Amino acid sequence: HHPGSILLVDDEEKILKALGRALRDAGHEVIDTTKPRDAQRLLAERSFDLVIVDNMMPQLSGLDLIREYVTLVPEGDRAQVLMMTAHATIDSAIEAMKLGALDYLQKPFEIDELLVVVRRALDHQRLRVEHRFR
């Protein structure tokens, strides 16, 4: 199990705190924000292993955030992306995957489910990075 650096974006403070606590307890470095605009700035300033983003947020949807991220950051430098949504529409799931999201979590989900998906995403990211530097 390798800890990773995670950017967590959800406009619901309660969810953000609960997920952040679970991820930190699992040993990950977590930066969280309720504001998608702050997430944009953070993604421009530094790299993460994983971005976990809620889709339905004011100002900017998770899809919009991912869409912008993939246009600005070359594929080899990108974090893995996990999309969360309570309003699971097949269309947004498909679009998120087309944009490179690794997985899609439908709210409400169990913390254990999140941790499994996060571990898989971080393993995926580590292999990608190791492969790149061979």
Side-chain angles (χ1 to χ4, degrees), residues 3-110:
S5 61
I6 300 172
L7 176 61
L8 182 59
V9 191
D10 195 317
D11 60 312
E12 294 180 58
E13 190 93 37
K14 217 169 65 187
I15 292 173
L16 195 71
K17 288 212 176 340
L19 298 182
R21 187 177 319 113
L23 291 166
R24 286 183 188 98
D25 287 350
H28 302 292
E29 176 207 349
V30 181
I31 293 180
D32 53 25
T33 179
T34 54
K35 300 183 180 74
R37 299 277 177 225
D38 287 350
Q40 281 178 311
R41 183 179 46 76
L42 286 160
L43 286 168
E45 287 173 2
R46 58 162 288 186
S47 62
F48 292 90
D49 297 314
L50 177 61
V51 179
I52 304 174
V53 61
D54 185 37
N55 191 28
M56 301 296 279
M57 296 184 288
Q59 296 143 10
L60 198 68
S61 74
L63 267 179
D64 290 337
L65 187 66
I66 293 169
R67 205 178 283 122
E68 182 179 288
Y69 178 59
V70 299
T71 54
L72 295 176
V73 180
E75 191 175 350
D77 298 334
R78 271 182 228 149
Q80 295 296 325
V81 175
L82 292 177
M83 171 81 81
M84 301 182 291
T85 187
H87 316 276
T89 67
I90 297 302
D91 292 347
S92 59
I94 290 169
E95 186 168 354
M97 302 305 236
K98 277 185 185 159
L99 289 169
L102 187 69
D103 220 327
Y104 195 89
L105 285 166
Q106 185 172 351
K107 291 177 175 178
F109 50 80
E110 298 296 322

Side-chain angles (χ1 to χ4, degrees), residues 103-121:
D103 220 327
Y104 195 89
L105 285 166
Q106 185 172 351
K107 291 177 175 178
F109 50 80
E110 298 296 322
I111 292 287
D112 289 348
E113 189 186 342
L114 172 73
L115 294 175
V116 166
V117 173
V118 163
R119 189 172 310 129
R120 190 170 64 221

